[in-house]
Amino acid sequence: MAIEHDYFGLLESGPDGSIFWSETVELGDQAVTVDLTAPDEDDVSQAALDVAAGMIASLEAIDRTSRNAMVSELDDRTSEVIEFILQQQESLGDDLEDYLVDISGDTHIDIIRSLRLISLTILADEHGGTEPFAVLEYGLDPDETDDVLLVNLNTDGDVQSVTSAD
């Protein structure tokens, strides 16, 4: 079976009924991997695909919202954003400045600004549910897949949580 959509084209399901679509999109000077996935084609609606296409089209705004959510967690000394930043400072030491795109004197903000958006994963079967509909993956070093922050969004594009990959 298959689902057809104006943005995604023909989405054919695998032998197990799952759907997977992948594309690389440009965001400024970054290449971002965008994946759309669902374990069962029957759980994917046209509305979910429309929302997913809208998120991809507004990736810049979603990125800004996600970074603002990270900044808002800087007040909580136990947040995963703070833990991630401290871990990056410890593991990179003096080399940290090599990863920063701007050095303003506020290291926490500089790290958030310098994070690269590595990927956006859309869980199309979670449309309208309580689980994340989209997950953005950020890292200072796009080749280091263990040291990342994940921003979970609901169907409306609102941030549900910011977590580390641990």
Side-chain angles (χ1 to χ4, degrees):
M1 294 193 47
I3 300 174
E4 190 157 353
H5 189 266
D6 290 341
Y7 183 87
F8 299 104
L10 188 63
L11 295 170
E12 294 189 42
S13 59
D16 61 352
S18 65
I19 287 180
F20 182 78
W21 175 90
S22 186
E23 185 90 11
T24 300
V25 298
E26 297 298 319
L27 178 64
D29 64 345
Q30 299 179 56
V32 180
T33 301
V34 178
D35 296 328
L36 180 130
T37 183
D40 188 345
E41 173 186 347
D42 295 335
D43 294 337
V44 179
S45 67
Q46 286 292 323
L49 296 176
D50 290 344
V51 170
M55 283 186 167
I56 296 166
S58 61
L59 191 55
E60 187 174 334
I62 289 173
D63 176 50
R64 190 172 31 259
T65 298
S66 297
R67 290 176 195 270
N68 287 339
M70 290 179 213
V71 170
S72 71
E73 292 204 9
L74 293 178
D75 292 337
D76 179 359
R77 291 311 212 188
T78 62
S79 75
E80 292 199 39
V81 173
I82 290 289
E83 288 180 26
F84 174 83
I85 289 171
L86 294 175
Q87 187 262 340
Q88 293 300 301
Q89 288 176 304
E90 182 180 318
S91 67
L92 295 173
D94 292 338
D95 294 334
L96 177 63
E97 286 189 10
D98 296 340
Y99 291 90
L100 301 180
V101 295
D102 185 31
I103 300 176
S104 69
D106 185 337
T107 305
H108 292 86
I109 296 293
D110 294 344
I111 289 174
I112 291 172
R113 277 189 199 143
S114 301
L115 290 173
R116 296 186 57 84
L117 176 55
I118 300 167
S119 69
L120 165 64
T121 302
I122 299 169
L123 308 165
D125 59 315
E126 296 297 340
H127 181 258
T130 57
E131 294 296 316
F133 179 73
V135 180
L136 291 93
E137 179 182 1
Y138 290 91
L140 275 178
D141 182 353
D143 297 326
E144 186 58 52
T145 58
D146 291 338
D147 294 332
V148 296
L149 278 176
L150 305 174
V151 178
N152 299 303
L153 305 177
N154 65 18
T155 305
D156 296 326
D158 298 326
V159 175
Q160 290 179 307
S161 63
V162 181
T163 62
S164 63
D166 298 343

